[in-house]
Structure formats: structure tokens, C-alpha cells
Amino acid sequence: QVQLQESGPGLVKPSETLSLTCTVSGGSITSYYWSWIRQPAGKGLEWIGRIYTTGSTNYNPSLKSRVTMSVDTSKNQFSLNLRSVTAADTAVYYCARGFCGGDCRLDYWGQGTLVTVSS
Amino acid sequence: DIQMTQSPSSLSASVGDRVTIPCRASQSISSYLNWYQQKPGKAPKLLIYAASSLQSGVPSRFSGSGSGTEFTLTISSLQPEDFATYYCQQSYSTPRTFGQGTKVEIK
């Protein structure tokens, strides 16, 4: 059974960089897309972007100037860096696996981690 | 970006009811449409992919239909564990976008 687990600081100061890692267990990280999605309290889901195991990325244009994603296949991990954060970046951050076979879907999700931006 | 619209944002229903949840895309997305269920404090769970394919392990009372710009998630007989928020998501192009969600509440 594939499992994903987010890890990283729960509190980040304004203007600093939010850094999260997602560790994949129970399956290989290769040949899938790996996505980050966030959800502010009481609101809907926002797709941040995705990375393929080759390192190819797609980012949401609304965040593209501040986002970097990376993947470490040797550790079965992928990561998110979001620079210059503000209070508007406070949210639960989820990592998810993207399975693409003709269509694409997010079939496995991490439990989510709350990141608060505050001084 | 493709806009996904879900209306209503909430609906009330009783156990045993047939429930339909609509989703509209701002442009044609063929059948590149997924549905997720989210319960409070939990991650979303994939229910339906490619508009009408049931994800493994999901009860058969859930079904999806539609293509182009109009889609529907149907719960044939609502169960107590189905009270949750349901999101549609397009996988036609990036950035992926989600609907605002429809919360199914107990009548």
C-alpha cells in the first residue's frame, strides 16, 4: 500500500521560505508525477504544481515565481520550496501521487501538514 | 486557466436519498474530470477518474457521468459515511484546477 507523509516546519516567518518534504513508502517513486496541493482553513483546494521523476516540472502560474520542486529518487522523496511567504500562504499542504494512464488522477495523498506563516 | 464551477456549495439530504452533484468546466475538457471526497480533517480521497471510472475500493453507489463541460457525481443511496465535501478537478491541462466543493449535509 502506497503511503505519503509530509514533513517540515509548522511555523514559518513572513518573507522566509516554506520547505516541505514528502516521503513515499510502499511503492516506487519512479514513473509517476508527484504533486503539491494546499488548502487554507475552511476553503477549497489549490494545485501548487507537480514534478515527474525525471525532474520535469509544472507549476501553477499564480505561484510560479516563488515555487521550486525537486525529487530525490534515491530517498523516495520529493520536496517543495515556497519563497517569500506571507500570511496568505497559511494552509494545510498535501502531497499526492499523480497516476497518468491516458488521463491523470491524484490517487494517493498524504495526511496533510498545517503550515502557519506568522512572526 | 480552466475554471471549474460547483453549484450549489452545499445541499441537504437524508440517508437513502439519491444525490446528484453537478460540476461545470469553463471550456471543454473531454472526459478529463476527477471527483474527490473530503471529510473534515482528512485528505481528499479519489472516487471517480476519467469522468466515469470508479476508483478501486470505492463503493458502487458512487458513479460519474458527463463529458465536455457538464459533469455529474451521483450517489445512488446516501449512506451516513457519505456526508462530506465533494470536489471535481480537471486533468485536461495545467494548472490543474478544482471546483469550490459541494458539502453534503444531513437533512
Side-chain angles (χ1 to χ4, degrees):
Chain A
Q1 176 74 350
V2 175
Q3 293 185 316
L4 289 78
Q5 178 68 59
E6 305 89 352
S7 59
L11 181 64
V12 182
K13 290 182 168 56
S15 80
E16 295 191 345
T17 296
L18 179 160
S19 296
L20 296 174
T21 296
C22 184
T23 301
V24 181
S25 59
S28 175
I29 198 171
T30 57
S31 302
Y32 293 99
Y33 286 91
W34 300 95
S35 293
W36 290 96
I37 302 99
R38 70 181 183 178
Q39 184 173 39
K43 296 189 177 180
L45 300 162
E46 180 181 28
W47 185 81
I48 300 170
R50 68 179 184 179
I51 185 166
Y52 193 61
T53 47
T54 57
S56 173
T57 55
N58 298 104
Y59 299 143
N60 193 322
S62 67
L63 298 168
K64 187 174 183 177
S65 64
R66 300 193 289 130
V67 170
T68 303
M69 294 182 184
S70 60
V71 61
D72 186 338
T73 55
S74 68
K75 294 182 178 179
N76 257 28
Q77 293 178 335
F78 61 105
S79 298
L80 167 70
N81 278 352
L82 181 64
R83 297 177 292 278
S84 304
V85 297
T86 70
D89 295 309
T90 294
V92 174
Y93 285 75
Y94 295 101
C95 58
R97 189 181 84 167
F99 175 81
C100 294
D103 70 299
C104 292
R105 60 259 195 188
L106 299 168
D107 60 351
Y108 288 96
W109 293 63
Q111 65 185 24
T113 187
L114 174 62
V115 178
T116 301
V117 178
S118 175
S119 55
Chain B
D1 299 4
I2 297 174
Q3 303 302 314
M4 306 301 296
T5 301
Q6 289 184 249
S7 182
S9 58
S10 66
L11 62 87
S12 296
S14 301
V15 172
D17 284 353
R18 180 181 181 87
V19 173
T20 58
I21 300 171
C23 172
R24 174 177 292 177
S26 61
Q27 67 181 74
S28 178
I29 57 171
S30 185
S31 296
Y32 294 99
L33 191 284
N34 304 317
W35 288 98
Y36 302 87
Q37 176 194 64
Q38 187 179 34
K39 296 181 179 179
K42 299 295 187 181
K45 172 188 173 183
L46 178 66
L47 298 177
I48 301 286
Y49 63 93
S52 61
S53 295
L54 192 67
Q55 174 69 357
S56 176
V58 174
S60 59
R61 63 181 179 273
F62 291 94
S63 64
S65 63
S67 67
T69 62
E70 304 285 339
F71 301 88
T72 302
L73 174 70
T74 299
I75 309 172
S76 60
S77 178
L78 195 65
Q79 298 302 299
E81 60 268 31
D82 300 337
F83 291 97
T85 300
Y86 294 85
Y87 293 93
C88 59
Q89 176 239 334
Q90 62 83 16
S91 61
Y92 182 81
S93 65
T94 58
R96 303 299 196 223
T97 46
F98 293 85
Q100 309 96 310
T102 295
K103 185 176 183 180
V104 176
E105 300 175 305
I106 301 172
K107 181 182 282 185

